[in-house]
Amino acid sequence: MISKLVLVDIKMLSGFTPVMSSIEELENSGQVMKIEVKNDHVLFYLENVSDTANSVTFSVEQSNLVSNTQPAPVMVYDYYEKDEYAIAFYNVNNVSVSQ
């Protein structure tokens, strides 16, 4: 079996930042091999990813109020074969904020 290293690059939506405690939980629990937070991106390094669905969940918080938030990309690619990749976009809709 060939070990694959997959990188998931999640660009944060404008006005949002990751909750670092939720990111650290993923690394401490062994769900991800390594995590980097750079500028407005969160990068997850995943080892031995199978062909079945995998999910990683973390929390974000709104740091600035931004109107008309545009979709942000999530890029998944093979660390060693960067031409093997997939891109999806996400956004927030109808979010309720408690004060």
Side-chain angles (χ1 to χ4, degrees):
M1 181 174 126
I2 297 173
S3 176
K4 276 204 166 201
L5 181 59
V6 173
L7 185 62
V8 180
D9 181 350
I10 304 168
K11 183 174 185 323
M12 291 288 92
L13 293 168
S14 297
F16 286 84
T17 57
V19 175
M20 293 310 295
S21 60
S22 70
I23 299 253
E24 291 163 0
E25 277 181 34
L26 291 171
E27 198 165 22
N28 293 339
S29 71
Q31 284 187 271
V32 296
M33 188 176 99
K34 178 181 173 183
I35 300 170
E36 293 179 7
V37 178
K38 293 183 176 181
N39 301 322
D40 58 350
H41 289 256
V42 178
L43 297 108
F44 294 106
Y45 294 80
L46 307 173
E47 220 174 10
N48 301 322
V49 176
S50 67
D51 292 337
T52 60
N54 291 288
S55 67
V56 175
T57 304
F58 65 99
S59 300
V60 297
E61 60 189 2
Q62 190 170 17
S63 52
N64 295 305
L65 187 57
V66 176
S67 60
N68 195 23
T69 303
Q70 298 300 305
V74 175
M75 186 170 175
V76 179
Y77 58 92
D78 185 315
Y79 185 81
Y80 299 107
E81 304 276 343
K82 295 204 176 10
D83 58 334
E84 293 183 27
Y85 65 92
I87 299 175
F89 291 85
Y90 75 102
N91 205 345
V92 291
N93 294 314
N94 303 321
V95 174
S96 63
V97 177
S98 55
Q99 304 216 2

